[in-house]
Amino acid sequence: MVIILVGGQWGDEGKGKVIDYLAEKADMVIRSQGGNNAGHTVITEHGEFKFQLIPSGILYPHCRCIIGNGVVVDPIVLLKEISQLKERGIEPNNLIVSERAHMVMRYHPLFDQLEEEARGDDRLGTTWRGIGPAYADKIRRIGFRIGDLQKEGFMRKKLAFVVEQVKNPVLEKLYGKPAYDWESMLDEYLQYAKQLDPFIRDTFPIIQEALDQEKKILLEGAQATMLDLDFGTYPYVTSSNPTAGGALTGSGIPPTKVDLTIGVFKAYTSRVGYGPFPSELTNEIGDQIRERGHEFGTVTGRPRRIGWFDAAVARYAVKLNGVGVAALMRLDILDDQPMLQICAGYEFRGHRYDHPIANISHYKHCTPIYEEMAGWEEEIGKAKCWEDLPANCRDYIDRVGELIGAPIQLVGTGPRRDQFVTRGPQPFD
Ligand code: IMP
């Protein structure tokens, strides 16, 4: 059985917790896009774990964890994550990195930063992790794949070319920065090669075998639908396709093998970085939710922009990804709000839209159409089942489900592993 998990808003929906819940029952978890711009948090009885590259399933020794071909891997970050796990007594014997995955090279974060600075007021608000430049090089066919680490002669020749002919001229002439010495870079990468060697594999036969044996496979999405390179608020997006289609190309799983797509949504909306955000709250309510929800970026520490739940965004995500089951997370963060609003659609120049407007200059200036609902004003963190939730809270969940067009079968009521309320049949059961 294959399940794709996608973020339905602008990221940080609480995907890490849902992945952890599903990974317990999965045989294999695959990450298929993005890189260490992602940050998934899982809280277990052994404390808090933050993952940027390694699939969260690593905490379950029975679960094979694959960093798929569509991911861009910074080997420095990956090695650090591996050693942090080892320090906490977790041996990542179940980790596999696709030899086709591209690397974020030493120069990519620098170019990310320099390009952002050069954009001035038009900057995108990237994470400066080199993600965009690494994907750009992959498309330009001057990228390095993880498997290249195992081919010293190839690395030597290609690094000399890319650094001397492509990167250094721009660095020196355009940005007035010191050039890179490709030979010392090669030595550094050969060190990484030795350390990463046990994890690097061709993942095609491994994944195909798991499909043949009808194993339970979870495709773990990073980022989210509204950050999708094609369907998000371009150019204020990430450089990969976090939608369901990207999960397939990023892993090599054919569409005919997918059984279910799960959409993860947060009970309100947040966004890091710039770009349109119609239901944004730039008032006290937004500040209260940010504080109560500790809405500061896992990767960059930046305060996240906060807004009401945008059902037009979520419905768009449901349709684009073919979401069959939805998870509504972080509902407890709204516990103390006396009144809640849900954005049901937008109005722009006399027209009503029930989905995000493709033209982002129009999207930026549209007016949200809100529905108002009474809050529940009590703590829901101890709820064990649907009936334990206050009536107003159940009404809110039901209305959200109706508006987005997908059944909400998982509800997040707090940060801990056990703070979940489930409804109906559960995926992988
Ligand atoms: P990049 O992915 O670093 O190029 O950043 C592009 C945009 O995506 C910026 O607005 C980032 O804040 C946003 N972004 C990238 N990764 C994440 C994520 O995991 N969660 C939320 N926002 C993200």
Side-chain angles (χ1 to χ4, degrees):
M1 181 181 201
V2 177
I3 294 182
I4 301 180
L5 181 135
V6 291
Q9 294 153 318
W10 275 281
D12 311 309
E13 294 92 353
K15 293 185 289 293
K17 189 172 149 161
V18 185
I19 295 160
D20 176 58
Y21 169 76
L22 295 170
E24 190 178 7
K25 303 177 222 170
D27 301 302
M28 181 179 273
V29 179
I30 311 175
R31 251 199 77 175
S32 49
Q33 44 71 228
N36 61 308
N37 48 349
H40 291 168
T41 308
V42 179
I43 300 176
T44 74
E45 54 283 16
H46 304 295
E48 187 176 85
F49 291 83
K50 285 187 193 294
F51 298 103
Q52 291 193 262
L53 279 169
I54 298 184
S56 326
I58 201 77
L59 300 175
Y60 299 104
H62 71 269
C63 182
R64 278 187 126 177
C65 289
I66 297 187
I67 297 182
N69 56 280
V71 178
V72 285
V73 179
D74 186 330
I76 306 169
V77 176
L78 178 58
L79 284 167
K80 202 163 143 205
E81 257 180 63
I82 292 173
S83 73
Q84 279 168 352
L85 277 174
K86 286 183 174 173
E87 275 162 27
R88 293 178 74 174
I90 296 161
E91 280 303 321
N93 299 327
N94 46 343
L95 177 68
I96 297 168
V97 186
S98 163
E99 65 174 270
R100 291 184 174 87
H102 275 246
M103 279 192 282
V104 172
M105 301 294 285
R106 206 175 256 297
Y107 40 78
H108 287 137
L110 177 64
F111 276 101
D112 201 350
Q113 181 180 346
L114 292 172
E115 283 166 22
E116 274 285 86
E117 284 168 358
R119 283 189 193 108
D121 287 346
D122 293 327
R123 65 192 181 280
L124 309 175
T126 74
T127 58
W128 286 9
R129 296 299 186 264
I131 306 301
Y135 276 117
D137 280 2
K138 173 177 176 177
I139 306 248
R140 288 173 74 191
R141 290 160 297 181
I142 54 167
F144 289 87
R145 308 211 290 188
I146 283 277
D148 295 341
L149 289 173
Q150 296 168 322
K151 301 179 279 184
E152 188 177 333
F154 177 87
M155 272 298 278
R156 175 180 297 278
K157 203 167 158 211
K158 188 159 171 186
L159 203 55
F161 165 71
V162 174
V163 172
E164 291 292 335
Q165 305 291 319
V166 188
K167 302 296 170 190
N168 281 346
V170 182
L171 263 186
E172 289 182 294
K173 295 197 181 101
L174 189 65
Y175 295 113
K177 297 280 174 199
Y180 280 104
D181 169 14
W182 68 266
E183 281 175 305
S184 64
M185 206 185 280
L186 178 67
D187 292 342
E188 180 189 332
Y189 279 82
L190 293 177
Q191 285 306 314
Y192 304 146
K194 271 194 210 131
Q195 296 171 68
L196 287 176
D197 197 60
F199 302 102
I200 303 174
R201 307 272 292 276
D202 177 0
T203 49
F204 171 75
I206 299 170
I207 293 174
Q208 287 301 316
E209 190 188 52
L211 287 171
D212 289 345
Q213 294 175 352
E214 298 189 354
K215 297 274 187 201
K216 292 175 179 168
I217 303 176
L218 175 66
L219 290 163
E220 157 178 343
Q223 289 86 44
T225 304
M226 292 303 282
L227 291 172
D228 185 89
L229 189 53
D230 290 79
F231 287 100
T233 46
Y234 188 88
Y236 301 97
V237 292
T238 193
S239 294
S240 64
N241 290 110
T243 39
L248 304 180
T249 45
S251 61
I253 292 192
T256 45
K257 295 284 182 188
V258 177
D259 294 281
L260 175 69
T261 300
I262 299 179
V264 185
F265 304 89
K266 181 148 71 178
Y268 48 96
T269 313
S270 71
R271 170 165 207 174
V272 221
Y274 302 97
F277 182 178
S279 69
E280 183 168 12
L281 285 162
T282 49
N283 57 12
E284 247 174 57
I285 302 176
D287 295 342
Q288 276 168 18
I289 296 176
R290 182 180 305 104
E291 287 305 317
R292 187 175 162 97
H294 309 292
E295 290 287 1
F296 298 88
T298 324
V299 177
T300 58
R302 289 179 289 176
R304 295 180 184 140
R305 298 159 65 193
I306 303 295
W308 291 123
F309 186 84
D310 187 332
V313 159
R315 190 163 49 231
Y316 177 70
V318 165
K319 288 184 187 265
L320 269 176
N321 296 294
V323 167
V325 165
L328 191 65
M329 307 302 290
R330 314 209 80 199
L331 210 66
D332 54 302
I333 305 303
L334 300 179
D335 279 355
D336 53 3
Q337 294 298 329
M339 184 278 301
L340 301 166
Q341 294 199 320
I342 302 177
C343 167
Y346 319 105
E347 201 269 339
F348 183 73
R349 291 187 186 153
H351 292 282
R352 188 181 162 130
Y353 293 84
D354 65 359
H355 54 81
I357 307 169
N359 178 333
I360 68 151
S361 333
H362 294 182
Y363 194 40
K364 220 181 249 173
H365 295 112
C366 69
T367 309
I369 302 166
Y370 285 114
E371 285 187 6
E372 207 166 280
M373 292 190 82
W376 44 93
E377 295 186 272
E378 61 180 282
E379 292 197 0
I380 58 168
K382 292 201 178 95
K384 293 267 172 278
C385 62
W386 179 248
E387 289 70 30
D388 289 346
L389 293 170
N392 284 359
C393 181
R394 293 194 307 241
D395 288 348
Y396 182 75
I397 300 167
D398 283 339
R399 184 64 188 141
V400 166
E402 239 167 57
L403 285 169
I404 71 174
I408 297 172
Q409 290 185 204
L410 279 155
V411 175
T413 55
R416 289 194 325 266
R417 253 180 181 172
D418 60 331
Q419 287 177 304
F420 253 132
V421 168
T422 57
R423 223 188 353 175
Q426 290 303 298
F428 283 149
D429 276 351

